[in-house]
Amino acid sequence: MRVGFGYDSHCLAEGRKLVLGGVVIPFEKGLLGHSDADVLLHSIGDAILGALAAGDLGSHFPDSDPRWKDASSMDILGRIRDLMLSKGFEVNNIDTTLILELPKLKDNIPFMVRNIEKLFGLEQGRVSIKAKTNEKMGFTGRGEGIAAYCVVTIAGKATGAK
Ligand code: MG
């Protein structure tokens, strides 16, 4: 068993779609980034890469590379999943926390969880998404951006990961 930790943040800006956990969420602003800037999926990707000791998202998917311009982060995370599988590991569980004042995500979270379960082929009860405000403090509290934290455990498959 290995543990990985991930963190990401992006600015909120007008004229962008807000995509979190692969779900487009109606809101007046979206996250700014080279890809779709799905901060939640980026934190998960970094956590998995961390558990594999395989660098970080920026080294695998540099924002200088036009291939990842407006890329779907579901696609990016799928590539990280494939790297993990090729190294003989599978996800055990994923626990995440989003920090944002608005929008409220309660109704969207089940769809975000389902997207991630599907991507990793996980049964229910292994993916957790929590959302909380920062009590109006800092960049998340002022609504300037959204941050995400993730802890993941991955386990060697019976086929012999080391
Ligand atoms: Mg990011």
Side-chain angles (χ1 to χ4, degrees), residues 8-10 37-39 42 57:
D8 196 26
S9 61
H10 283 267
D38 190 327
V39 67
H42 291 185
L57 211 75

Side-chain angles (χ1 to χ4, degrees), residues 56-115:
D56 60 25
L57 211 75
S59 62
H60 286 266
F61 307 96
D63 58 13
S64 54
D65 186 337
R67 259 190 309 169
W68 312 119
K69 174 103 178 75
D70 300 321
S72 156
S73 296
M74 288 295 284
D75 178 44
I76 288 174
L77 193 55
R79 289 165 190 261
I80 294 172
R81 172 205 59 206
D82 293 345
L83 174 72
M84 171 188 70
L85 295 173
S86 76
K87 289 178 180 283
F89 287 92
E90 58 194 2
V91 166
N92 178 61
N93 80 301
I94 296 172
D95 184 22
T96 64
T97 300
L98 279 161
I99 316 282
L100 75 170
E101 295 295 319
L102 288 172
K104 297 293 173 200
L105 296 177
K106 190 167 67 69
D107 295 339
N108 303 106
I109 283 177
F111 296 98
M112 295 154 65
V113 166
R114 188 75 198 104
N115 274 346

